[in-house]
Amino acid sequence: MKIPGGNLAWLLDEDEVERDRGVTINISVRQITVPASKKLISIIDSPGHRDFVPMMIVGASMASAAVLVVDSTSGEFEAGFSEEGQTREHAVLLRSVGITHLVVACNKMDSMEFSESRFLSIKETLSTFLKQSGFKTGNVVFVPCSGTQGINVVDRVKDNQALASWYSGPSIVEAMDALAKPVMEGQDRPTRFSVTEVIRSQELGTGVSGQVLSGTIALEDKLLMLPQKILCGVKKLRVMGEEGNAVAMAGDSNVSVSLSNIAVGEMSLGSVLCSPEKPCPVATGFKAQIVVVGGGRPITQGYRAVVHVNGASEACTVVKLIEILGSSNNDGGSKRPRPRLLTKGQRALVEVRLQRGVCMETFSEVRSMGRIMLRNNGRTVAVGIVLEVGEAE
């Protein structure tokens, strides 16, 4: 695959504004068939620019694995990996939403004349940071490539001597093909469908796209849309881009659902379709275990931020710092109760109050609905998991 003078990302950027600016703004989902294995893979193209990190979080929360694209150009990688860089923040966010397997695409290697020393330098720097962020070394694969020239993207490099002289590993697509198949869990639990996009099309009519987090969704099901509290019906289903499906199950991440008894204006990103008999909590407060990852102003009682959970975002206030925990779960637990402030690297239990109700579960119930990120002034300051959901409406 080669696009002279172009960029592979352009193919997934559907909006004219995205293509004009050369920046991904919205999520785009496509399916590809791997030539060798015939495996069908859904690719979720998420924004990388700092202005659109909230949408990147939504896209990442839908994935079972990730490709982290880094700019190998001299000076650009260093800028991306700096304290203010997006490479560092994206890696932390990916692990925070539950991603455990990662392909690191070292792009623009052609600008570095496919230098082996440059590749190894980037690999060494990122490997240390990714391990500190919670990724296991065996679950991370580094692949050198050139997107604009299509080198080592789909097919393994053969004719580029500068790269082939020292690299014999997989291409990007081959590395994706080798990723472990996601484990499907939660099909026997109450239905939870996370809304990542509101749609209105000629084929499906009014509906939503997203991921089945637990349970199943079948044609003619009656589901409750929360936090709106609207009972609606399932008219059509499209799974992995294919229509005519009678059921979607937990783990299906590219699902479109045509709904009755609800208008486009009544649906929103971060809403949840769930079982009317066993609805998910709509919380205005929660207790969480967090890790401070930002190096800015310390987190104190009354600290204001925006919490991101399961595609939803809402203004919040840290109302109580309960205790600072040890650096791991095996070193004696609590270090200090009722601290005055939290700084970078500290683990703690906190109580958070939300401005409005948000669909949320504890991490032990539905993992993806119990992972949170706190952001302030365009930066991620803390990540964590929900231990208790309070004041459910």
Side-chain angles (χ1 to χ4, degrees):
M1 184 182 294
K2 185 175 181 179
I3 308 175
N7 193 304
L8 291 176
W10 188 87
L11 294 174
L12 289 173
D13 289 338
E14 299 177 312
D15 192 274
E16 290 185 8
V17 176
E18 291 181 313
R19 291 184 168 183
D20 289 342
R21 293 180 58 183
V23 175
T24 302
I25 298 174
N26 296 310
I27 296 169
S28 177
V29 182
R30 289 287 185 274
Q31 280 77 43
I32 66 168
T33 300
V34 180
S37 66
K38 305 303 179 183
K39 182 188 294 182
L40 185 65
I41 298 177
S42 288
I43 297 179
I44 306 167
D45 184 31
S46 297
H49 194 279
R50 67 168 58 251
D51 290 348
F52 309 110
V53 168
M55 191 57 68
M56 173 265 169
I57 295 173
V58 174
S61 66
M62 297 168 59
S64 56
V67 178
L68 178 65
V69 182
V70 300
D71 189 337
S72 302
T73 307
S74 181
E76 292 300 318
F77 169 74
E78 288 74 14
F81 190 67
S82 67
E83 194 68 33
E84 301 292 329
Q86 291 307 100
T87 299
R88 184 182 292 265
E89 182 175 26
H90 287 170
V92 171
L93 291 174
L94 287 172
R95 188 64 192 91
S96 300
V97 299
I99 299 295
T100 57
H101 290 74
L102 192 64
V103 175
V104 180
C106 298
N107 193 25
K108 301 186 181 179
M109 283 295 293
D110 53 311
S111 66
M112 301 302 295
E113 299 181 349
F114 295 99
S115 167
E116 180 181 12
S117 61
R118 178 60 171 172
F119 173 74
L120 292 177
S121 175
I122 292 173
K123 182 178 179 180
E124 181 180 4
T125 301
L126 272 181
S127 293
T128 301
F129 177 75
L130 292 174
K131 186 176 181 179
Q132 294 171 346
S133 300
F135 289 96
K136 294 181 179 179
T137 303
N139 292 344
V140 180
V141 179
F142 288 81
V143 181
C145 66
S146 169
T148 54
Q149 296 187 23
I151 295 175
N152 210 37
V153 176
V154 178
D155 299 318
R156 188 175 299 205
V157 61
K158 295 178 181 179
D159 56 357
N160 184 277
Q161 297 303 312
L163 181 55
S165 62
W166 57 267
Y167 181 77
S168 58
S171 67
I172 296 296
V173 171
E174 286 177 334
M176 292 166 58
D177 186 28
L179 291 167
K181 186 177 181 180
V183 178
M184 301 302 182
E185 297 179 330
Q187 294 179 8
D188 57 344
R189 294 192 174 189
T191 298
R192 302 287 187 264
F193 178 90
S194 172
V195 175
T196 58
E197 184 181 5
V198 177
I199 57 175
R200 187 172 186 177
S201 66
Q202 187 173 1
E203 298 82 8
L204 287 176
T206 301
V208 293
S209 291
Q211 180 178 17
V212 184
L213 304 177
S214 63
T216 61
I217 292 181
L219 293 175
E220 300 184 2
D221 273 356
K222 295 296 182 182
L223 298 173
L224 184 64
M225 177 77 78
L226 291 174
Q228 295 89 337
K229 299 181 180 179
I230 299 176
L231 188 65
C232 46
V234 177
K235 297 194 299 181
K236 296 180 183 178
L237 278 174
R238 185 166 62 193
V239 182
M240 294 286 284
E242 297 182 0
E243 295 189 30
N245 295 276
V247 63
M249 299 181 291
D252 290 336
S253 61
N254 183 19
V255 180
S256 297
V257 186
S258 176
L259 299 170
S260 61
N261 195 42
I262 191 168
V264 171
E266 295 176 308
M267 300 179 283
S268 61
L269 190 70
S271 297
V272 173
L273 284 171
C274 56
S275 309
E277 300 81 10
K278 295 182 179 179
C280 72
V282 178
T284 54
F286 61 91
K287 177 183 175 182
Q289 176 181 304
I290 65 169
V291 178
V292 181
V293 297
R297 183 168 65 89
I299 296 177
T300 57
Q301 183 173 320
Y303 185 89
R304 295 184 179 181
V306 175
V307 65
H308 294 261
V309 54
N310 190 44
S313 58
E314 184 59 47
C316 69
T317 303
V318 178
V319 295
K320 186 176 182 181
L321 306 182
I322 300 172
E323 60 187 6
I324 292 178
L325 303 175
S327 58
S328 71
N329 293 327
N330 301 315
D331 64 354
S334 177
K335 277 189 174 181
R336 190 169 71 249
R338 299 184 298 277
R340 294 182 59 190
L341 52 84
L342 303 176
T343 56
K344 185 176 180 180
Q346 291 185 318
R347 295 171 65 246
L349 297 181
V350 299
E351 186 177 316
V352 179
R353 179 92 53 178
L354 297 166
Q355 186 169 307
R356 294 179 299 179
V358 172
C359 293
M360 184 181 296
E361 296 268 14
T362 61
F363 182 74
S364 61
E365 285 294 324
V366 182
R367 290 196 170 195
S368 55
M369 291 184 67
R371 301 182 192 272
I372 62 163
M373 285 134 279
L374 297 178
R375 305 190 79 239
N376 183 282
N377 292 326
R379 297 180 60 189
T380 302
V381 295
V383 298
I385 58 175
V386 177
L387 302 179
E388 297 178 11
V389 176
E391 301 183 28
E393 296 178 347

